[in-house]
Amino acid sequence: ASLRALPGPGDDFNIETGKLLSPILQPRVPGTPGSIVVQNHFIDFFKTTLPAWKVELQNSTSKTPATGDREVPFVNLIVSRDPPWTTPGYSSRLTLVAHYDSLSVPEGFIGATDSAAPCAILMHTARSIDTALTAKWEKMQADGKDMEYEDQQGVQIFFLDGEEAFQTWTATDSVYGARSLAAEMESTAYAAQSTFHNALSTISLFVLLDLLGAKNPVVPSYFQTTHWAYKKMASLEKRLRSLTLFESSPKKPSSKKASSKKAPSKKSSSKKASTKRASKRDDTVFLPDFDKTGDRWLGGMIGDDHIPFMERGVEVLHIIPTPFPRVWHNREDNGAHLDLPTVADWSRLITAFTAEWMELEGFMNVDQTSSKYSRDHKSEEPGQIIDKSEL
């Protein structure tokens, strides 16, 4: 029942007028006016839509190969919601992640799949589960549960800056924001009696979305240690398709053209092991590795925002297609080349995964009142923001 209750994005992913996606479809190079506009878009969205979500800004600066001695500012946005009875250090968090910056070259690069669409998907996810989280936690309190022993799990979203290299992808010219945030979270210690010893250790799973929005994506299971989580998401995809809730399903073929033609690796050229699957598939399954066994795991082949966190022991579920979209890192990675049914389907799948993780079965049917952010006849209620200068 909860899967059928998942709200769709409606017109919010429209590339010209969509309230969630269209403001992100502009150049977003770190430290530029476009980057600031998109930061404010995220903040305004949460301020006017989701009152209970706390927004924090984590700032850093760094020199880059392209800017010489000039320090470039990087701003990560951390948006979180925890059970109302928890205090810092006692609640774990499912962590959903996408980067919002774009390449500096070619000039004018938009990065619709890389990663404007993933950011919009996460905004939709937050809005979709907000009322259900409130209902669940209010019911737990009304039932007189002993909160010390009850659900101590929240959810947070990272909108990360500085993922893209300024010249050539290296360990020092890439993931600027992620490196800063991971180090700061590791050094943010909690009280000795807390369940978790620092902010980093509260991450129960780091779910990273990247390069999503082209038609017929193939997303392998990259890490054996999180294959169980991949299987949960793949199972949800199967259920959504069986209920004909996916717009890109064979029963609902996409009307837009997009290619799954093999492209160069984003950060590596050593990802050939799983790419042959694309030509062999006779359907549009996004996550084909449910039954994967053996030792052919490709997690070490792709550099991305998860690396600084994974190096510190965080478990990662990487949702990035192999092969990469045909438009990867060229001017065609713009709104016109997104396959919108596929974007909508990813939003349903990520929302379903998050709702299941947060145990919202039975609460997703709660009526969601209308607001200025409209979608398929339903929308979340207006809200406010708690804004901080740093984590």
Side-chain angles (χ1 to χ4, degrees), residues 82-245:
D82 296 315
W85 57 83
T86 61
T87 55
Y90 288 91
S91 178
S92 64
R93 288 173 172 174
L94 173 66
T95 302
L96 309 175
V97 187
H99 76 89
Y100 71 90
D101 64 300
S102 61
L103 280 172
S104 57
V105 178
E107 185 177 355
F109 177 79
I110 299 297
T113 67
D114 191 14
S115 277
C119 288
I121 289 166
L122 295 185
M123 296 170 75
H124 171 79
T125 297
R127 184 180 60 187
S128 298
I129 66 170
D130 183 62
T131 301
L133 286 172
T134 299
K136 175 190 173 181
W137 291 334
E138 287 181 349
K139 184 178 187 303
M140 292 175 67
Q141 291 178 306
D143 289 346
K145 300 286 188 180
D146 187 344
M147 298 310 171
E148 183 178 353
Y149 300 102
E150 289 297 333
D151 184 7
Q152 300 282 353
Q153 180 162 251
V155 59
Q156 65 185 353
I157 297 172
F158 294 169
F159 297 105
L160 297 179
D161 199 3
E163 187 267 355
E164 300 287 6
F166 281 77
Q167 285 189 349
T168 303
W169 185 277
T170 65
T172 55
D173 186 17
S174 65
V175 297
Y176 291 88
R179 285 188 282 127
S180 174
L181 180 59
E184 184 167 315
M185 292 184 73
E186 185 177 40
S187 65
T188 303
Y190 293 133
Q193 67 270 25
S194 300
T195 305
F196 302 97
H197 64 280
N198 63 22
L200 193 75
S201 64
T202 65
I203 298 176
S204 53
L205 183 66
F206 188 97
V207 184
L208 175 59
L209 312 186
D210 203 354
L211 299 183
L212 302 182
K215 186 179 179 181
N216 293 338
V218 182
V219 177
S221 180
Y222 291 100
F223 300 105
Q224 188 171 14
T225 56
T226 55
H227 186 55
W228 59 273
Y230 178 97
K231 291 175 69 173
K232 284 181 178 292
M233 189 177 291
S235 177
L236 284 167
E237 180 190 2
K238 182 178 180 180
R239 289 163 58 194
L240 286 163
R241 290 188 185 280
S242 70
L243 294 169
T244 65
L245 296 176

Side-chain angles (χ1 to χ4, degrees), residues 1-66:
S2 289
L3 288 181
R4 293 192 181 278
L6 293 175
D11 291 332
D12 283 347
F13 290 167
N14 184 291
I15 64 172
E16 295 180 351
T17 61
K19 298 293 186 179
L20 299 187
L21 178 58
S22 64
I24 315 175
L25 293 175
Q26 60 180 297
R28 309 173 300 279
V29 178
T32 65
S35 176
I36 296 171
V37 167
V38 173
Q39 293 168 28
N40 287 331
H41 168 55
F42 296 144
I43 293 171
D44 290 345
F45 168 76
F46 283 95
K47 180 178 181 180
T48 59
T49 308
L50 304 176
W53 294 70
K54 181 170 74 172
V55 174
E56 301 168 285
L57 306 181
Q58 190 264 344
N59 300 284
S60 63
T61 61
S62 178
K63 297 176 182 178
T64 78

Side-chain angles (χ1 to χ4, degrees), residues 112-378:
T113 67
D114 191 14
S115 277
C119 288
I121 289 166
L122 295 185
M123 296 170 75
H124 171 79
T125 297
R127 184 180 60 187
S128 298
I129 66 170
D130 183 62
T131 301
L133 286 172
T134 299
K136 175 190 173 181
W137 291 334
E138 287 181 349
K139 184 178 187 303
M140 292 175 67
Q141 291 178 306
D143 289 346
K145 300 286 188 180
D146 187 344
M147 298 310 171
E148 183 178 353
Y149 300 102
E150 289 297 333
D151 184 7
Q152 300 282 353
Q153 180 162 251
V155 59
Q156 65 185 353
I157 297 172
F158 294 169
F159 297 105
L160 297 179
D161 199 3
E163 187 267 355
E164 300 287 6
F166 281 77
Q167 285 189 349
T168 303
W169 185 277
T170 65
T172 55
D173 186 17
S174 65
V175 297
Y176 291 88
R179 285 188 282 127
S180 174
L181 180 59
E184 184 167 315
M185 292 184 73
E186 185 177 40
S187 65
T188 303
Y190 293 133
Q193 67 270 25
S194 300
T195 305
F196 302 97
H197 64 280
N198 63 22
L200 193 75
S201 64
T202 65
I203 298 176
S204 53
L205 183 66
F206 188 97
V207 184
L208 175 59
L209 312 186
D210 203 354
L211 299 183
L212 302 182
K215 186 179 179 181
N216 293 338
V218 182
V219 177
S221 180
Y222 291 100
F223 300 105
Q224 188 171 14
T225 56
T226 55
H227 186 55
W228 59 273
Y230 178 97
K231 291 175 69 173
K232 284 181 178 292
M233 189 177 291
S235 177
L236 284 167
E237 180 190 2
K238 182 178 180 180
R239 289 163 58 194
L240 286 163
R241 290 188 185 280
S242 70
L243 294 169
T244 65
L245 296 176
F246 259 28
E247 296 180 28
S248 64
S249 293
K251 295 181 180 180
K252 291 185 178 181
S254 171
S255 61
K256 290 194 175 185
K257 294 183 178 181
S259 174
S260 60
K261 179 181 177 182
K262 186 173 179 180
S265 166
K266 187 174 188 181
K267 285 91 190 183
S268 170
S269 60
S270 305
K271 304 193 287 74
K272 298 181 180 179
S274 68
T275 58
K276 293 182 180 179
R277 280 185 298 237
S279 61
K280 295 180 180 180
R281 294 186 308 146
D282 57 2
D283 54 28
T284 57
V285 174
F286 296 170
L287 306 169
D289 278 357
F290 184 90
D291 296 321
K292 183 174 183 175
T293 58
D295 58 359
R296 301 186 71 180
W297 305 92
L298 304 175
M301 301 295 182
I302 302 178
D304 209 340
D305 279 318
H306 65 292
I307 296 296
F309 293 87
M310 188 173 66
E311 291 175 343
R312 291 169 168 84
V314 174
E315 294 285 5
V316 172
L317 179 61
H318 201 183
I319 305 300
I320 185 172
T322 297
F324 289 171
R326 177 187 61 81
V327 297
W328 173 73
H329 278 196
N330 69 59
R331 292 180 183 276
E332 290 187 332
D333 190 5
N334 54 35
H337 287 87
L338 286 172
D339 186 73
L340 295 183
T342 297
V343 178
D345 289 346
W346 277 119
S347 74
R348 290 184 177 89
L349 182 54
I350 299 303
T351 298
F353 179 85
T354 305
E356 184 175 83
W357 187 282
M358 298 301 296
E359 299 179 345
L360 298 180
E361 177 68 31
F363 297 101
M364 292 298 291
N365 294 304
V366 176
D367 181 52
Q368 300 172 50
T369 58
S370 63
S371 78
K372 73 174 186 176
Y373 286 96
S374 63
R375 57 177 184 253
D376 294 293
H377 314 298
K378 292 187 178 181

